[in-house]
Amino acid sequence: MAETSDKVEGAAKIAEKGDSVGMPQLDFTTFPNQIFWLVVTLIVIYFILTRIALPRIGAVLAERRGTITNDIARAEELKQAAVDAEEAYNKALADARAEAQAIIAEARAEIQKELDAATAKADAEIAAKAAESEKAIAAIRASAMDSVTEVAKETAAALADAVSPAKIDAKTINAAVTARLKG
Amino acid sequence: MAVDTKAAEPGGLQIKPMDQFLVKPLFGGDEIYWYTPTNVTLWLGLAVICVILLLVIGTRGRAIVPSRGQSVAELAYVFVYKMVEDVAGKDGLKYFPYIMTLFIFIVFANSLGLLPMSFTTTAQIAVTAVMAIAVFVFVTILGVVKNGFGFLHLFWITSAPLVLRPVLALIEIISYFVRPVSHSIRLAGNMMAGHAVIKVFAGFAGVLGVGAVAPIAAITAVLALETLVSFIQAYVFAILTCVYLRDALHPHH
């Protein structure tokens, strides 16, 4: 058998009775074919990957990482802004409260002043009225005392007349009653 | 073709689990030259199409919020990228496209091989051996170029006692040169074994009649396992490549 037809012979043998080889993987006549097509395949895949797929996927992943980083940074900024706004709000609230307190204090002081003035005026009026009333009471009391003296003198004279028919001097009676009243 | 002729012959159980690994010309004829389009060509081409579908068509939206296809493509990218970074180190990232090429090709070749009636290119020793030898030659040249004579430190373990070092060096050298063998046989063997087992069970199912339920259940289970294996073997191949790459970049233990 010629050497040149070895390959042909081997391939034909496999094609006709496949089980006679044992392991078809060890049929070396097919190796050049397999190796050639494998190398072609690997080179094609390598170029697909390096020219198109890997740069694209790498770019997408980098872009996504960038987007996420940016979004987180923006969220951080917004959070800071919210905190600032809350602080400003609280400060405004505190200011307003302080102002309100000041206004209340002022109003209270004013009212107190007016109240004091009114009280003083009322006190003065009351004092004046009281003095007037006292004067009137004193006058009434004095006039009442005079009337009592009069009545006492008349009563004493009448009693003296009734008790002793002897004439008792009116002057003596008057003096006696006056002395009694004073005593 | 082979199944038909055998079925006509007398004899009960005819299981030919290895027929699926036959390389056949795609358009008839018996001769297989290096350029002949064969079923290897077909299934390698389908793997390329799958790669394009996932990594090019799937990512054409370039969306910030990815579609499903883009998610898977990104997942594959990040998965391999992290693997290279973690295992080979930051300076290994330069070789990320090569490892990605190997990984994505093996994943698709393995997965396509799970389709019924398909041809598993990664079950062929020729295919895995070429990849393993390419990795071996590449990392060896890289190691020598990067480290010069220092690359031999990989075999001279300074942390071991001096007496043991020559012995260890011998073992290390042997294990270094066995790498491409184990690297390629592991992948091809895993693929071949699973597919052969499925074929054997399928042969049982053919003759058992109603009892075929059991082998069919077994096929289902094996197929599920093979789905896992097809991914794991791609992962193993890629991570071993990373390990070899790390050894080439940092030969000091």
Side-chain angles (χ1 to χ4, degrees):
Chain A
M1 202 174 289
E3 307 93 48
T4 46
S5 64
D6 268 353
K7 185 187 280 180
V8 180
E9 184 68 24
K13 203 166 69 184
I14 297 153
E16 276 159 23
K17 11 186 218 166
D19 54 337
S20 65
V21 187
M23 271 180 71
Q25 287 99 327
L26 296 180
D27 177 10
F28 293 104
T29 56
T30 64
F31 273 29
N33 181 273
Q34 296 191 44
I35 292 168
F36 168 68
W37 289 112
L38 172 70
V39 170
V40 169
T41 304
L42 288 180
I43 289 173
V44 168
I45 292 179
Y46 177 76
F47 278 106
I48 290 168
L49 289 189
T50 51
R51 292 294 143 90
I52 308 172
L54 297 187
R56 186 188 286 176
I57 298 174
V60 167
L61 291 177
E63 196 182 334
R64 179 173 312 145
R65 213 171 302 129
T67 308
I68 290 172
T69 312
N70 285 347
D71 283 2
I72 287 173
R74 238 183 58 216
E76 218 38 69
E77 263 169 40
L78 290 176
K79 201 176 158 194
Q80 191 55 47
V83 168
D84 288 350
E86 201 192 345
E87 267 169 24
Y89 166 76
N90 282 338
K91 193 164 170 291
L93 200 64
D95 284 354
R97 204 166 271 160
E99 205 174 321
Q101 289 292 347
I103 289 170
I104 289 170
E106 203 177 308
R108 189 174 284 157
E110 207 167 303
I111 290 167
Q112 192 65 47
K113 213 161 78 188
E114 273 172 23
L115 196 63
D116 285 351
T119 309
K121 200 175 156 202
D123 279 349
E125 268 169 29
I126 289 166
K129 276 238 168 84
E132 208 172 300
S133 303
E134 233 159 79
K135 218 193 276 171
I137 289 166
I140 290 165
R141 188 177 281 156
S143 72
M145 198 51 94
D146 284 351
S147 304
V148 167
T149 313
E150 193 92 358
V151 170
K153 276 174 187 169
E154 274 171 20
T155 311
L159 278 172
D161 263 349
V163 171
S164 68
K167 269 276 198 213
I168 295 170
D169 196 3
K171 254 188 188 160
T172 317
I173 293 168
N174 277 355
V177 168
T178 307
R180 245 315 143 86
L181 281 171
K182 274 178 185 164
Chain B
M1 173 168 56
V3 176
D4 289 340
T5 55
K6 283 292 173 188
E9 284 176 18
L13 201 57
Q14 290 293 341
I15 301 170
K16 293 175 295 301
M18 305 309 275
D19 274 8
Q20 57 178 320
F21 303 117
L22 278 173
V23 177
K24 291 176 227 150
L26 211 51
F27 305 110
D30 290 334
E31 300 168 25
I32 297 175
Y33 300 108
W34 61 269
Y35 54 83
T36 314
T38 54
N39 46 0
V40 180
T41 317
L42 172 67
W43 289 95
L44 287 175
L46 288 176
V48 172
I49 289 170
C50 286
V51 171
I52 293 174
L53 280 179
L54 176 66
L55 294 183
V56 177
I57 308 296
T59 60
R60 73 188 184 287
R62 291 186 174 87
I64 291 291
V65 179
S67 61
R68 286 181 209 176
Q70 195 184 324
S71 282
V72 177
E74 284 172 10
L75 207 65
Y77 180 100
V78 172
F79 178 72
V80 179
Y81 193 89
K82 281 262 170 273
M83 179 169 71
V84 177
E85 192 177 24
D86 292 347
V87 178
K90 288 263 184 221
D91 43 355
L93 285 177
K94 214 181 344 172
Y95 311 102
F96 162 64
Y98 301 106
I99 293 166
M100 184 72 182
T101 303
L102 285 177
F103 176 78
I104 210 79
F105 165 68
I106 296 171
V107 162
F108 278 119
N110 289 352
S111 307
L112 285 171
L114 291 172
L115 297 175
M117 312 302 289
S118 72
F119 177 84
T120 317
T121 50
T122 40
Q124 300 290 324
I125 297 287
V127 169
T128 59
V130 166
M131 291 192 290
I133 291 170
V135 168
F136 177 76
V137 170
F138 179 77
V139 296
T140 306
I141 292 173
L142 185 74
V144 173
V145 169
K146 286 254 171 190
N147 306 287
F149 190 70
F151 186 56
L152 293 178
H153 275 114
L154 188 60
F155 310 113
W156 197 251
I157 299 152
T158 45
S159 58
L162 191 59
V163 196
L164 281 177
R165 276 182 216 172
V167 184
L168 285 174
L170 188 67
I171 295 171
E172 286 287 326
I173 287 169
I174 292 171
S175 83
Y176 187 80
F177 284 97
V178 167
R179 274 177 180 183
V181 178
S182 63
H183 204 188
S184 58
I185 303 275
R186 183 182 298 111
L187 176 57
N190 267 290
M191 287 302 109
M192 189 184 74
H195 289 73
V197 164
I198 289 176
K199 210 64 167 192
V200 168
F201 280 136
F204 287 151
V207 295
L208 281 179
V210 182
V213 174
I216 288 171
I219 289 171
T220 312
V222 174
L223 204 58
L225 181 70
E226 283 302 298
T227 311
L228 190 67
V229 166
S230 71
F231 178 80
I232 288 174
Q233 286 307 318
Y235 173 66
V236 166
F237 197 96
I239 205 162
L240 280 174
T241 307
C242 291
V243 169
Y244 300 161
L245 192 62
R246 185 197 56 199
D247 281 348
L249 295 172
H250 315 283
H252 306 275
H253 281 272

